[in-house]
Amino acid sequence: MNGPVAFCLGSTEGSVLRRETGRRRNARRTMSGSAVSFLQRVFPRHSAASLARSVWSGERLKDLRSVARGSARTADGGGGWGVVSAARTRASLAERETPGGSDGIPDLGGASGDVGHETPAASPQSPAGATVAHTNGSDGASKKTLVVVESPAKARTIQKFLPPQYAVDACMGHVRDLPGAAEQIPPQYKSQPWARLGIHIEDDFRPLYVVPTAKKAVVDRLRQRLAECSGLILATDEDREGEAISWHLVELLQPQMPVRRAVFHEITEDAVREAFANCRDIDVNLVKAQEARRILDRLAGFTMSPLLWKKISRGLSAGRVQSVALAMIVERELARLRFKPATFWGVQAVLALPSAAGAPPMQLNTVLHSVRGARIATGRDFDDLTGQLKRQNTDKVLWLDEDKAQSLVSLVQSLPPNAFQVVSVERRTSTRAAPPPFITSTLQQEASRRLRLSAAEVMRVAQRLYENGHITYMRTDSPVLSAQAVQATRQAVTDAFGGDHLAPEGGRAWKKPKRSQEAHEAIRPTGKSFVPPERSGLTAIERRLYEMVYYRTLASEMAPAKVNVTNLVVEGPGELQLRARGRETVFAGWLRALGVDTAAGGTEGGKGTRATGAGTADADAENGDGGATGILPLGVVVREGDRLSAVSAAAESHQTQPPSRFTEAALVKEMESNGVGRPSTYAPTIEMLVERAYVRRAAGSSSSGATLVPTLTAFAVVQLLQRHFPDFVNVSFTSAMEEALDRIARGEGDRTTYLSEYYSGEHGLAATVAAKDSSIDPQEVRQVHLPALEASGTSEPVKVFVGPYGPYVSNGKLASLPKLISPDEVTPERVQRLLALQAADGVLGHDPQSGRPVLLKFGRYGPYVELGGEASVGAANGGDVPAEADMAEEADGNARADIQTRTRVSVPKGMDVTRVDLALALRLLSLPRVVGTHPETEEPIVAGYSRWGSYLQYRGAYTRLRDAPGGTLRALDIGLDEAVQLLAERKVGEATGDGVKSTQSTSSSRRSAVMRSLGAYRGVTMEVCRGRYGPFIRYGTTNVRIPRALDPQALTYDEAARLVAEKVDAAVLTADEPD
């Protein structure tokens, strides 16, 4: 069929028509006019010509008329006809399909006649029609059944568990989506005003689905393979996205055979066979929920993003989940900017415990807790915004400065022996319960902390483990284990640690979260018995992540740890009170599984205080919360009344710390706790924020990993949304949206009603944005309000803006700022330096050779230095000079005699412009420079830099150099000896480990130099090569890029095999592909 009938708009109407067309596709019979007229009333969206081509049989038309009469009576109590009765007719027709299939792994081949399965009734705009099994067997076609999954790796694993009559193929994820560009819109819809949005608002938010260009070959291949089969099983993931993929596949492939839906949360032989023996229909409610989410995201983005383009800058975007996550990051950064640190002091004392005659004295570390009844101030006693004591604590605590602390130290050290006495000894036994098994968010958090992986990297590794049958489905928010998994876990605990480490059977049940989706369980090892990591056959990062999942699962069924805790209170002259706390692990329990340090006697205190209300708990060393901490030696019995002597004392300085920036793990935890997003959206949301330059990753502490630093653009966007569209970034509002989608998924909510409430009407998103558009002043929303600048007290107010070409500062004159500069880097000193340069026309000084002024200027593409006094040679685009030239074109001119005549050059990307003085400017203007002549050929070696960074140019070829962070150029200081060495290493293809990359300025195709061979993987040799665009792995006829984070010289076999597997697995899986 052609035309509108063939183009699916997600309706039962389209599904029924396609099914009837398929029943007699080869017929040449023409329907009567009355039949066509009747069909037009049932299917009002389609033309008479399209309906005439659908070729319904007389018997089927008679059946449909009977259904229509009953639907009309049901709709209005009489014989009338309307949209409702037409919808009921279509739904009733779908309901009349009868289920088929068999028990066990179904043999779907050789079906004949009309075979289908039940479809739930739905509204005309619902995706219900997708679950209808299209009928008629292939009449002599192959007996094979086609099984479709998302990825080639998953396909290979499942194929091993199935008999030969099953052929497994991969659809490579989603096969249809809303149009991403105007050229994707089908010709018959281009004239429609709603087509670019891809959603027909007035027609119950009907989506327009298209097949992306990259997926057309995949769909064609699946069609060809399906034509050779007589059954179809859709085995995509069990979440909403997987359900939607299956529905779209049915709509696209139009199978004329039985269709089944198989779901499993682990890829093992038992799980696959059980799933195939208990196939079900496509869950229409899950499809509706996924479609509603996709429509919501499109409506939010297409409505709000153009406003950001108009008011701030083009290229910005807003999103239903993305903007809320961004607001969290910005609010945390604002708390950091407003924070005022406080410095305070504390006193630690070492006391000698009583000992037997002749035995060395035992020592006890204590912390001074109070003096004359006033508690020593710690980090939690200070106000974040003022750096002063909180008002309610002024009379209750003693704020020590250095002088007071030193005087107390002198007092303690001057006291006679046995001046201190133990006045209180408190002993108790505490238990520490095991944590639950991993869910998506906790796996991302723990892997980020322990393995230093980003959220996206964690999910990629977990995806490989799942697809290869090592762990269960990794997108889940339920910590519950199945009964079989609990038994497997308890057996693994017994084998590894003994039965005494088991928790009481049935003693602890993990509570499923309120908004947990579908029937998922926790992330765990697969199978009826778990494979220990050492026998898993995994290597490198997969092994480490699997090990985390394995032992976390075991810990969840292990006994609680038991710890003896002792608290001491010691008093001395002058109403001094000191305290110490110690602990001893008497039974490790689950701690053994997770490798937690159970060494007895370790300190326990100091983790419950914060320097700020918004941040994470600060370390004792910073906040000095020593009022209840200390180290109590093991094996020492202390009783009330024991006398102690001071051995030494020392004063320690502490400073309160601002709230920590979000790491990816911390942001995921915050999103989860507030109900923002779902397991499948955490990692993509973070990647989107980085991709849009709203945040950048910065090095964090060794224990926390990289932090997410917001840019000034992020501040401007969040300010606009919070001021004019507060619901759009409101955590509670977004969480309520997730709950609404959950209700739709459970069949308790109506998709169209909710979308209409969100978008349409007087208070909907569309009307709200339209009403605010004219009242939003672009200049006002582009200004970023930074506490440091507003409190600087300068005579001339300095303002920070974000414009179409990036951030800049202004006090009457303008000065550009780096695009990715963080707000805390915009200090009054830096701003004044920039503006001073601008006010002085950027004169840095004068060239000692020519006497011409050397200027620092700011152009459209950033800062640049210029040798003034004459017309600039080689200048282009207002300062965006050599950085905008192509390297290959630049090479021919680099060795010219007049290369020193260049009078304008861009400041390197990432370099702090306030560092640019006369000396550095002259060195930049000297580029490209002749390093020297090659001792063998006496030809010049030239060093320069372009938008790709520093490079060497010799004999028409480039050798790229790795610049240091902060814009420090290697081209400025590389010497002849080092340049010759690098060129020699490139020539022979040796690894330099120096970031050297070579390209050719000529068009000749020279074979890339082999750096090293790593051996064979799957029978094909892996070679690390140096190519024109950087190092890569040559694997047969496939080239695999080596990520910049990996050193090609130190690349291991396992790392190379993982990269190759990822690239090869993305290729199209063919039927004859060997294992």
Side-chain angles (χ1 to χ4, degrees):
M1 293 173 63
N2 299 317
V5 177
F7 193 83
C8 175
L9 291 172
S11 65
T12 305
E13 177 179 332
S15 298
V16 173
L17 279 174
R18 279 194 301 278
R19 184 165 67 255
E20 293 306 321
T21 302
R23 293 183 188 276
R24 297 186 59 192
R25 185 177 297 274
N26 297 322
R28 292 293 181 267
R29 176 179 169 184
T30 303
M31 285 192 294
S32 66
S34 62
V36 172
S37 176
F38 166 68
L39 288 175
Q40 277 191 290
R41 291 201 291 171
V42 180
F43 306 104
R45 294 197 189 93
H46 303 290
S47 66
S50 297
L51 292 169
R53 289 197 299 269
S54 61
V55 195
W56 288 54
S57 68
E59 182 179 349
R60 294 291 292 173
L61 280 171
K62 181 180 179 180
D63 187 43
L64 180 60
R65 289 180 188 273
S66 176
V67 173
R69 283 193 293 271
S71 298
R73 286 193 294 271
T74 304
D76 55 17
W81 183 264
V83 175
V84 175
S85 51
R88 290 180 181 272
T89 300
R90 294 190 294 270
S92 298
L93 184 67
E95 287 179 342
R96 293 176 64 134
E97 298 295 335
T98 57
S102 60
D103 296 330
I105 293 186
D107 181 6
L108 299 180
S112 61
D114 293 342
V115 181
H117 64 271
E118 187 177 359
T119 301
S123 68
Q125 307 308 329
S126 76
T131 62
V132 177
H134 297 277
T135 55
N136 281 353
S138 55
D139 295 334
S142 166
K143 298 292 184 181
K144 279 194 173 184
T145 295
L146 180 64
V147 180
V148 181
V149 297
E150 294 95 327
S151 72
K154 184 176 178 181
R156 276 193 292 272
T157 304
I158 292 176
Q159 185 71 78
K160 299 175 184 177
F161 305 142
L162 298 176
Q165 64 265 32
Y166 288 86
V168 188
D169 207 336
C171 66
M172 313 303 291
H174 280 280
V175 291
R176 290 201 311 183
D177 197 4
L178 302 176
E183 57 267 20
Q184 293 182 352
I185 300 173
Q188 63 267 38
Y189 294 102
K190 284 186 178 294
S191 61
Q192 300 295 328
W194 53 267
R196 183 64 187 91
L197 176 64
I199 302 166
H200 198 338
I201 306 295
E202 289 75 19
D203 194 1
D204 292 339
F205 295 88
R206 183 178 56 177
L208 173 63
Y209 289 120
V210 298
V211 179
T213 303
K215 293 300 177 71
K216 289 181 179 179
V218 175
V219 174
D220 289 343
R221 186 187 77 249
L222 291 176
R223 282 199 181 108
Q224 293 173 3
R225 298 203 67 183
L226 188 61
E228 302 169 356
C229 298
S230 55
L232 175 63
I233 293 181
L234 301 166
T236 52
D237 292 341
E238 60 176 333
D239 58 5
R240 297 173 191 174
E241 298 298 321
E243 208 75 17
I245 291 173
S246 290
W247 179 75
H248 283 293
L249 284 170
V250 172
E251 290 294 307
L252 280 173
L253 300 179
Q254 303 181 33
Q256 309 302 310
M257 60 192 66
V259 179
R260 296 290 182 268
R261 176 80 170 102
V263 294
F264 35 79
H265 63 273
E266 60 179 341
I267 305 179
T268 61
E269 184 170 1
D270 289 341
V272 171
R273 286 183 169 272
E274 181 180 356
F276 278 30
N278 297 278
C279 290
R280 63 166 173 81
D281 296 339
I282 292 177
D283 190 328
V284 180
N285 290 325
L286 294 184
V287 179
K288 289 180 183 178
Q290 189 278 338
E291 184 175 83
R293 181 203 62 78
R294 185 68 185 94
I295 293 174
L296 277 176
D297 291 342
R298 174 58 66 94
L299 293 174
F302 270 52
T303 304
M304 197 63 72
S305 296
L307 182 71
L308 298 180
W309 302 347
K310 183 177 179 181
K311 303 299 182 181
I312 300 178
S313 176
R314 292 196 62 83
L316 301 180
S317 68
R320 182 179 59 89
V321 175
Q322 163 195 322
S323 295
V324 179
L326 183 61
M328 291 177 176
I329 297 173
V330 169
E331 285 297 325
R332 177 64 60 87
E333 190 70 16
L334 273 173
R336 289 174 55 85
L337 294 174
R338 296 188 183 114
F339 178 81
K340 291 188 180 299
T343 301
F344 58 96
W345 288 72
V347 176
Q348 290 193 351
V350 179
L351 305 181
L353 297 166
S355 59
M362 299 293 292
Q363 295 184 345
L364 173 68
N365 292 335
T366 64
V367 175
L368 182 62
H369 178 263
S370 65
V371 178
R372 297 184 182 89
R375 180 173 55 83
I376 304 299
T378 60
R380 66 173 179 265
D381 297 312
F382 293 89
D383 186 271
D384 298 346
L385 300 179
T386 65
Q388 302 296 312
L389 283 174
K390 296 176 182 176
R391 183 173 302 177
Q392 65 269 25
N393 294 335
T394 305
D395 300 328
K396 300 178 182 179
V397 300
L398 176 61
W399 183 2
L400 296 182
D401 57 19
E402 184 176 9
D403 292 340
K404 292 177 182 178
Q406 291 297 348
S407 65
L408 288 171
V409 168
S410 300
L411 174 61
V412 171
Q413 291 175 335
S414 66
L415 293 175
N418 300 323
F420 293 92
Q421 183 178 14
V422 178
V423 297
S424 174
V425 178
E426 178 192 357
R427 294 184 176 91
R428 60 183 174 85
T429 299
S430 65
T431 59
R432 295 178 61 185
F438 280 130
I439 58 178
T440 301
S441 60
T442 53
L443 177 66
Q444 291 176 351
Q445 294 163 35
E446 194 67 8
S448 176
R449 184 180 67 85
R450 294 177 58 182
L451 306 183
R452 307 297 300 275
L453 298 175
S454 69
E457 289 170 335
V458 173
M459 296 311 293
R460 282 195 291 268
V461 177
Q463 181 86 32
R464 293 198 296 270
L465 290 175
Y466 166 68
E467 292 175 343
N468 288 289
H470 295 289
I471 64 173
T472 54
Y473 191 56
M474 66 287 161
R475 293 186 182 92
T476 175
D477 47 12
S478 172
V480 177
L481 293 176
S482 66
Q484 175 183 297
V486 169
Q487 292 305 313
T489 303
R490 296 179 68 84
Q491 185 60 52
V493 171
T494 303
D495 295 341
F497 305 106
D500 61 329
H501 279 68
L502 280 173
E505 191 164 1
R508 186 174 187 186
W510 304 110
K511 185 178 180 181
K512 197 171 184 178
K514 178 182 177 181
R515 293 193 291 269
S516 178
Q517 290 184 16
E518 290 83 62
H520 296 168
E521 65 171 306
I523 303 171
R524 60 168 177 85
T526 57
K528 296 178 179 178
S529 60
F530 297 162
V531 178
E534 59 272 14
R535 300 209 323 261
S536 65
L538 296 169
T539 57
I541 196 65
E542 285 89 354
R543 161 77 179 268
R544 297 180 66 188
L545 190 65
Y546 177 76
E547 194 172 60
M548 284 177 51
V549 172
Y550 180 87
Y551 285 110
R552 177 72 170 241
T553 306
L554 265 59
S556 68
E557 285 295 322
M558 293 178 70
K562 295 181 179 180
V563 181
N564 287 340
V565 180
T566 302
N567 293 309
L568 294 183
V569 178
V570 179
E571 292 184 352
E575 297 186 52
L576 301 177
Q577 186 183 94
L578 300 91
R579 292 189 179 184
R581 176 185 297 172
R583 69 177 182 177
E584 178 183 6
T585 302
V586 294
F587 179 70
W590 63 271
L591 297 176
R592 288 189 61 190
L594 297 189
V596 177
D597 182 14
T598 59
T603 181
E604 183 183 74
K607 293 188 178 181
T609 61
R610 297 173 184 265
T612 69
T616 57
D618 299 293
D620 297 335
E622 296 299 331
N623 285 318
D625 188 20
T629 64
I631 297 178
L632 186 64
L634 283 180
V636 176
V637 179
V638 182
R639 302 176 180 85
E640 291 184 11
D642 285 348
R643 309 297 299 190
L644 307 176
S645 302
V647 176
S648 64
E652 287 190 344
S653 175
H654 306 279
Q655 189 176 63
T656 55
Q657 299 297 306
S660 301
R661 284 187 172 121
F662 279 115
T663 62
E664 293 192 30
L667 181 60
V668 167
K669 183 178 181 180
E670 187 80 1
M671 293 172 66
E672 181 198 27
S673 64
N674 287 284
V676 176
R678 279 292 181 255
S680 60
T681 63
Y682 297 144
T685 297
I686 295 173
E687 292 303 310
M688 176 63 72
L689 295 178
V690 175
E691 179 183 325
R692 296 289 185 183
Y694 285 143
V695 302
R696 60 178 175 86
R697 292 184 174 99
S701 65
S702 59
S703 61
S704 63
T707 60
L708 300 174
V709 183
T711 62
L712 293 172
T713 302
F715 268 60
V717 169
V718 170
Q719 284 179 177
L720 184 151
L721 296 177
Q722 288 179 334
R723 189 176 305 167
H724 298 282
F725 308 98
D727 281 348
F728 201 80
V729 289
N730 182 276
V731 170
S732 299
F733 183 81
T734 305
S735 179
M737 293 176 68
E738 297 291 351
E739 292 180 1
L741 293 175
D742 291 345
R743 288 195 296 272
I744 295 173
R746 295 191 298 266
E748 301 170 0
D750 181 71
R751 156 197 176 279
T752 304
T753 301
Y754 179 70
L755 291 173
S756 180
E757 292 174 353
Y758 173 77
Y759 187 76
S760 304
E762 183 180 353
H763 302 293
L765 180 64
T768 303
V769 172
K772 288 279 188 178
D773 190 353
S774 59
S775 63
I776 297 176
D777 180 9
Q779 195 66 10
E780 177 187 347
V781 297
R782 286 175 179 173
Q783 182 179 352
V784 178
H785 299 276
L786 299 179
L789 294 183
E790 294 179 349
S792 61
T794 56
S795 56
E796 296 183 2
V798 177
K799 298 180 180 179
V800 178
F801 295 91
V802 174
Y805 305 111
Y808 61 94
V809 294
S810 170
N811 67 343
K813 292 201 172 189
L814 308 180
S816 297
L817 294 170
K819 183 178 181 180
L820 296 180
I821 191 172
S822 59
D824 64 335
E825 294 174 333
V826 186
T827 62
E829 297 76 19
R830 183 172 189 173
V831 169
Q832 291 302 326
R833 161 75 171 158
L834 287 171
L835 293 173
L837 290 172
Q838 190 77 12
D841 292 329
V843 177
L844 300 174
H846 291 79
D847 179 15
Q849 294 184 357
S850 65
R852 296 163 64 182
V854 179
L855 308 175
L856 174 62
K857 293 188 175 183
F858 298 89
R860 177 177 179 180
Y861 300 102
Y864 61 97
V865 293
E866 182 179 62
L867 194 61
E870 294 182 11
S872 300
V873 179
N877 296 328
D880 192 36
V881 284
E884 289 301 309
D886 185 88
M887 287 182 90
E889 296 174 353
E890 212 172 63
D892 295 334
N894 281 337
R896 295 178 309 181
D898 61 345
I899 60 173
Q900 286 82 9
T901 63
R902 179 167 290 162
T903 58
R904 184 182 297 174
V905 62
S906 298
V907 173
K909 184 178 180 180
M911 179 178 287
D912 184 354
V913 71
T914 60
R915 290 176 41 211
V916 180
D917 54 14
L918 177 61
L920 180 56
L922 289 173
R923 296 181 69 196
L924 290 174
L925 288 167
S926 71
L927 296 178
R929 65 184 181 91
V930 176
V931 178
T933 57
H934 198 288
E936 296 178 2
T937 63
E938 296 187 354
E939 293 189 32
I941 301 173
V942 176
Y945 89 98
S946 70
R947 58 181 172 179
W948 292 282
S950 296
Y951 62 86
L952 292 177
Q953 182 264 323
Y954 172 69
R955 284 189 152 184
Y958 289 105
T959 299
R960 193 180 303 173
L961 308 175
R962 179 173 294 172
D963 293 320
T968 303
L969 298 180
R970 292 286 308 280
L972 290 174
D973 53 22
I974 189 169
L976 179 60
D977 292 341
E978 185 180 4
V980 171
Q981 180 182 356
L982 293 179
L983 292 173
E985 289 172 347
R986 178 189 62 80
K987 183 177 180 180
V988 299
E990 296 176 356
T992 66
D994 196 16
V996 179
K997 301 179 181 181
S998 302
T999 61
Q1000 295 291 325
S1001 62
T1002 63
S1003 59
S1004 62
S1005 60
R1006 182 181 303 175
R1007 182 173 176 82
S1008 302
V1010 177
M1011 297 164 56
R1012 47 199 289 247
S1013 178
L1014 297 176
Y1017 173 67
R1018 295 180 182 176
V1020 180
T1021 301
M1022 296 186 296
E1023 296 176 326
V1024 179
C1025 301
R1026 176 88 56 200
R1028 176 174 183 178
Y1029 302 105
F1032 66 93
I1033 302 169
R1034 180 184 291 133
Y1035 181 73
T1037 59
T1038 301
N1039 293 339
V1040 182
R1041 186 182 67 85
I1042 298 175
R1044 185 173 297 179
L1046 296 179
D1047 184 353
Q1049 178 178 255
L1051 190 70
T1052 66
Y1053 175 88
D1054 291 337
E1055 291 172 332
R1058 175 176 61 83
L1059 294 173
V1060 168
E1062 290 177 351
K1063 178 71 175 284
V1064 173
D1065 286 349
V1068 176
L1069 182 69
T1070 61
D1072 299 325
E1073 182 177 3
D1075 292 335

